[in-house]
Amino acid sequence: MRKRSTDYHWYPSPVSDFMQQAMVPVSDEIELCVEVGGNPNNPPLLLIMGLGSQLIFWPDSLLKRLIDAGFYIIRYDNRDIGLSTKIKRDDLPRINTLSAMFKLQFGLDNSQTPVPYRLTDMADDAAHLIQALGLSQVHVLGASMGGIIAQILSAKYPHLINRLALIFSTNNKPLLAPPRPKQLYTLIKRPDSHAEEDIVNHGKWFIKTVGSKGHINEQAVADIARLRYQRCFYPAGTLQQLTAILMTGSIQPYSKEVKAPTLVMHGSNDGLLPPSHGKAVASDIPNAKFKLIKGMSHDLPEYFQPFIVSQLKRHMLQI
C-alpha cells in the first residue's frame, strides 16, 4: 500500500467530506493546500486548476465520478490562491495587462519583464508536490491555465508523468484566435467592491459569461463563489497569475517536448479559449488525441462530466 508522508497532518476536508486535506511544503518558500480522495492504491490523478481558481473549482460531482472510475485523486490550490502561500513583491513595476495581452497574441517577447513568478515556477510546484507525496508517476489533468502548467510539467519532468489530459487549455503560441469580446471582458472587469455580495455576484456573472449555456447551475455557482470568498479572498493572486501567463508567453517548445500519451478535450462553444487553441495543442504535442465536446464552454457542468470521465478512464486506465 502506498504510504503518504507522516510529515503531513491529514484531516477531513472542510469543503468536501470525502476528501482529506493537508498543508504540504514543496520548497523553502512555497506551501500548498492539498486534498486527496479515493483509494490510495489506485492510480494517482493530479488535478491542476486554472487562473484564479481554488481547488474547490473541481466540482464534487466530478471528483466522485473520478474516484468511482478508479482514480486516487489529488487537487491543490496553486500558489497565490486559496490557502496556499501568497507571493508578495512590492519592488516590481506595474504591468500594463492590455499591452501584455497584445504582445502575447502576436508573439512579441515579454520575457524580460520582471514578474513575481512565471508558469514554469508553478510547474515546478506541481513536480515538487508529486515528489513530496512520495509518488513516482502520476496521471495529470490540467484545466485552462492548469493545462498550460501541465504541459510544462510533462516536458520538464517526464519521469514523473504517466499520462496527460488537458481540458479547455492552450499553449499560447502566436496568432491563435483571441477570446471573444464578452469573454475577454471577464479578464478585465472588476467587481463593484470587495464586499462579499459583490464578489458573489461577480462570480455568477463570470460563469454566465464563459460557461456552457443551458447547463449552468446558478445556485451551485453562487455557493462556490461564496465559499471562495470565505475561504480566501486574495485578488492580487489572480492578477499575479494572469501576469505569469502573459509573461511566460508561448509554451509551444514545451508542448513539442511532451512525451506522455496525451488527450486534449475542448468545448465547441468556448469563447474564452476558442477550440482552435485545443486543436493547436493537440497538433503540437506528439501523437496527442483531440476530442471536441459539443455544446461545452469554459466550465465543467455536470451534464458533460460522464463523457469527460469516460474519456479519462479510457485514456488513462485503458478501460
Side-chain angles (χ1 to χ4, degrees):
M1 178 177 179
R2 184 185 302 120
K3 294 182 180 179
R4 297 193 294 260
S5 171
T6 55
D7 293 339
Y8 314 129
H9 171 57
W10 295 93
Y11 50 90
S13 164
V15 293
S16 300
D17 59 10
F18 55 95
M19 302 286 284
Q20 296 286 309
Q21 186 177 103
M23 299 301 298
V24 179
V26 295
S27 71
D28 291 340
E29 297 83 22
I30 303 294
E31 186 177 51
L32 301 179
C33 179
V34 182
E35 292 195 350
V36 298
N39 184 343
N41 291 315
N42 286 346
L45 173 61
L46 180 69
L47 307 173
I48 309 178
M49 190 31 88
L51 171 64
S53 298
Q54 300 180 27
L55 59 79
I56 57 175
F57 279 80
W58 294 106
D60 278 1
S61 54
L62 177 62
L63 299 183
K64 290 176 180 177
R65 285 187 167 95
L66 289 170
I67 290 171
D68 290 343
F71 291 103
Y72 175 62
I73 56 174
I74 306 155
R75 65 176 179 172
Y76 68 99
D77 289 324
N78 281 304
R79 61 166 70 189
D80 249 356
I81 290 297
L83 305 184
S84 292
T85 297
K86 308 303 184 295
I87 310 298
K88 298 182 180 180
R89 292 286 303 275
D90 298 325
D91 58 325
L92 299 177
R94 292 178 63 86
I95 303 296
N96 184 319
T97 302
L98 287 176
S99 173
M101 286 180 179
F102 177 85
K103 293 174 74 174
L104 176 66
Q105 176 69 24
F106 291 98
L108 302 175
D109 187 19
N110 280 323
S111 64
Q112 301 307 309
T113 305
V115 290
Y117 53 88
R118 302 179 195 274
L119 295 187
T120 47
D121 299 301
M122 299 178 77
D124 291 342
D125 291 346
H128 298 156
L129 173 60
I130 295 168
Q131 294 166 326
L133 294 178
L135 301 171
S136 57
Q137 273 202 332
V138 301
H139 299 303
V140 177
L141 171 61
S144 197
M145 179 190 76
I148 311 176
I149 294 169
Q151 292 172 72
I152 300 172
L153 170 68
S154 298
K156 288 186 68 176
Y157 301 93
H159 59 290
L160 295 178
I161 310 304
N162 191 335
R163 288 174 176 258
L164 175 64
L166 310 169
I167 191 162
F168 46 75
S169 193
T170 184
N171 59 12
N172 281 333
K173 71 180 184 182
L175 302 180
L176 288 172
R180 296 171 191 157
K182 283 201 309 183
Q183 283 75 20
L184 176 62
Y185 190 46
T186 64
L187 301 177
I188 302 168
K189 184 179 184 296
R190 298 182 178 182
D192 292 338
S193 78
H194 287 176
E196 181 171 344
E197 289 308 315
D198 284 336
I199 298 301
V200 171
N201 288 335
H202 186 268
K204 288 159 51 177
W205 166 79
F206 175 87
I207 294 297
K208 284 182 180 179
T209 306
V210 306
S212 304
K213 297 295 186 288
H215 301 294
I216 296 172
N217 183 329
E218 294 192 21
Q219 185 58 55
V221 169
D223 291 344
I224 290 295
R226 193 173 303 281
L227 179 58
R228 175 192 183 196
Y229 182 88
Q230 294 173 352
R231 190 168 178 263
C232 180
F233 178 63
Y234 186 65
T238 301
L239 180 59
Q240 291 189 154
Q241 287 188 355
L242 177 59
T243 299
I245 295 171
L246 298 174
M247 299 311 165
T248 299
S250 170
I251 65 153
Q252 189 178 23
Y254 288 106
S255 302
K256 292 182 175 182
E257 288 298 317
V258 172
K259 301 294 191 297
T262 302
L263 170 66
V264 179
M265 294 178 283
H266 214 103
S268 65
N269 293 349
D270 195 334
L272 191 60
L273 290 176
S276 58
H277 287 251
K279 293 176 182 177
V281 170
S283 176
D284 286 328
I285 294 177
N287 302 312
K289 298 177 181 178
F290 180 76
K291 290 284 185 182
L292 188 69
I293 305 177
K294 187 176 180 180
M296 195 175 85
S297 296
H298 204 81
D299 59 345
L300 294 166
E302 191 161 359
Y303 178 82
F304 297 103
Q305 291 173 18
F307 178 78
I308 291 169
V309 172
S310 71
Q311 294 300 306
L312 292 173
K313 187 174 180 179
R314 182 177 306 163
H315 173 62
M316 294 174 170
L317 304 182
Q318 299 177 292
I319 297 174

